[in-house]
Amino acid sequence: MKPRITLKKIAREFGVSISTVSKALKDSHEISEETRGKIKAFADYYHYKPNNLALQLRNQKTSVIGVIVPEIVHHFFSTVINGIEKYATEKGYNVMVCLSNESYEKEVSNMSVLTNGSVDGLIVSIARETQQNQNFKHFEAIINDDFPLVLFDRINDDIECDKVIIDDIGGAFKATNHLIEIGSKRIALLTTQDFITVGSLRKKGYIKSLNKNKISVDESLIYKIDDNLDLYEQIKKVFAVKNPPDAILAVNEIYAAIALKIAKESGLKIPEDIAIIGFTSGLISEYTDPPLTCVEQHGFLMGKQVAELLINRIENTAPSEFQKVVISPNLKIRKSTLDN
Amino acid sequence: MKPRITLKKIAREFGVSISTVSKALKDSHEISEETRGKIKAFADYYHYKPNNLALQLRNQKTSVIGVIVPEIVHHFFSTVINGIEKYATEKGYNVMVCLSNESYEKEVSNMSVLTNGSVDGLIVSIARETQQNQNFKHFEAIINDDFPLVLFDRINDDIECDKVIIDDIGGAFKATNHLIEIGSKRIALLTTQDFITVGSLRKKGYIKSLNKNKISVDESLIYKIDDNLDLYEQIKKVFAVKNPPDAILAVNEIYAAIALKIAKESGLKIPEDIAIIGFTSGLISEYTDPPLTCVEQHGFLMGKQVAELLINRIENTAPSEFQKVVISPNLKIRKSTLDN
DNA sequence: TACAAACACGAAAACGTTTGCGCAAATTAT
DNA sequence: ATAATTTGCGCAAACGTTTTCGTGTTTGTA
């Protein structure tokens, strides 16, 4: 790479001081029209642009916000990032994305690197491994320094900072209510292992709805899927019982799509024989046959919200108490539950 | 945010010079065991971490690579980013992601900001608007400065830099050959408008296969879809002709899924009445009914490749001539073309 | 006792920028 | 002609770090 043109070089060119050049380029009245003109022409010609690092160091401000997500090849997370980027750009910030890959160690190292002065604030969705360990010391460290931090979706209540979450309980509650309204009696739940927060919250919403509708909770209808095993085989078991369910609520899109596929292979009609709802994060639900009714998560809105909280925190326009914003998902009804 | 602890503050604390502190923290033998010990203990206690900006400024190296993509809520692009991030992390680089949102102006401003010293090199996939304008001056500017740059997927041959592309012609060629092999005679092509490079390349591969198989090109079978209009309505026309096709090659997943849906609504059997292939970038193809045969694009591999070229360029371990790496897609055969 | 060597540390430059202040020279006012 | 003001520019500090080169003190050796 060619050496960049700097104030110093321009100054040397004209035999003036660096400050004269700096002021000239900023159209300062301190510098004569003549000097200003020739310096600006020269700078233009050589495409002078102030070095950002120097500016950031001097201003003690990077105008960059760091984002750490467990993965990026994931419709929900990329949608959130999109929202973050949108809002950040509007406010003059750039976005630096890092991936934890669900690994505790990578999360720690990413946080350590980013808080070294590279960014003005941090947005994090906690890695699965960290959630399992329940080890949040790396967060305490930056919170002690009052480093601006916002958690979203995968959060932990013990970490004192701003947070944005989806109302998972409410979403599952709505979905289950809908299934009951259309006449479902035996609603199976396809959820994750317990340590996945969203899975357990959605289970709560499911149970809350059953309770409200005076339906007893049948533990044999609750399936905890392990993402490391074969999904297809695990979900098959739902149908291989004497008294199979007449509805399924799946905590994500993939589980729902696979359940749909197996149901059809078993000769079941959807939604007549079995109704299916998933939590969606992508486009799959729209293109299955029939399309899947789903709980929509508003990732873009979430991203904007997260970015807004963070930037307010950075710019000290936020209230001193930490905020917890809850975003309500909505139920998108398609033909997997209502065919009309 | 609390003011960060710096070398200067530590120095003041012990009444020594900044350089002494710096050396002590680096375990320099120049500093006595005693001084070293107390300084390190103090620094540890206050979680001293060198300020990255200062280091970057001094070393004239940021170890950050900038990535500009048209969008991020897109399976292909996020997969490429994932590959980039993976390789970059291995090599000690961080990734700064910016979105052009298909806008020329945003692409220009992103590039301008990132090349101000914030990153050591740039990876770009060109925005649609830029492709339409054919205005590449912003690239010339940074190429004149020998700024490390790699283009991928959405490239332009006039820009002199390293490039990584998918063999779109080959992919479409393979797919069309496959359709012909299974007996298709009238193969429709669902492509994009001409200025979208990938669309026109895939069209070339389609025509190349027809030629090789001595099938004349029927222009009435080629549909140029406009993404700004209603996709469903446009694709419907494929089926609303006297002599409809017996196969469809779609240049992306969505077109293919919609075509599949309409075909089924029209009472056609797949693949018996009509076979369908799409270029895939996401998970949709896997969950349609029947699952779609598709051309897989290896985004992750592409990302690693792109990052490798860039980092070699940055670290001057690259050959001086620019390279153009072509990644061959493969055909994933599913039941939308072969049902056995 | 004198001199060399080892030891322990500091000064200063460099990365590139901005900005308050000072200081001549030129211009205006008295 | 002298004083006051304006004009045009440079100095230097500051952001935080690393590193080369000096320098003074202590220790070791002849």
Side-chain angles (χ1 to χ4, degrees), chain A residues 244-299:
Chain A
D246 59 1
I248 294 178
L249 173 61
V251 300
N252 65 48
E253 189 167 52
I254 304 285
Y255 296 176
I258 293 177
L260 173 65
K261 195 168 182 176
I262 298 173
K264 289 204 290 181
E265 287 169 4
S266 313
L268 297 174
K269 293 231 175 307
I270 295 114
E272 295 82 355
D273 299 333
I274 187 162
I276 303 180
I277 298 184
F279 272 70
T280 187
S281 52
L283 300 171
I284 296 175
S285 305
E286 205 175 330
Y287 292 102
T288 54
D289 180 19
L292 286 160
T293 291
C294 58
V295 182
E296 294 183 316
Q297 305 193 60
H298 305 302

Side-chain angles (χ1 to χ4, degrees), chain B residues 16-17 20 23 30 32 35 58 60:
Chain B
V16 297
S17 77
T20 301
K23 288 170 185 167
E30 285 186 41
S32 73
T35 313
R58 164 162 234 277
Q60 295 289 85

Side-chain angles (χ1 to χ4, degrees), chain A residues 16-17 19-20 23 30 32 35 58 60:
Chain A
V16 297
S17 77
S19 41
T20 300
K23 288 169 183 168
E30 285 186 43
S32 73
T35 314
R58 166 163 231 276
Q60 295 291 84

Side-chain angles (χ1 to χ4, degrees), chain A residues 17 35 39 63 120 145 148 161 189 218 223 243 269 287-288:
Chain A
S17 77
T35 314
I39 287 181
S63 291
D120 291 342
D145 294 338
C161 66
L189 176 69
D218 181 349
Y223 294 83
N243 193 4
K269 293 231 175 307
Y287 292 102
T288 54

Side-chain angles (χ1 to χ4, degrees), chain A residues 13-31:
Chain A
E13 182 72 22
F14 290 101
V16 297
S17 77
I18 293 177
S19 41
T20 300
V21 177
S22 175
K23 288 169 183 168
L25 293 177
K26 301 186 105 66
D27 258 334
S28 163
H29 59 274
E30 285 186 43
I31 309 301

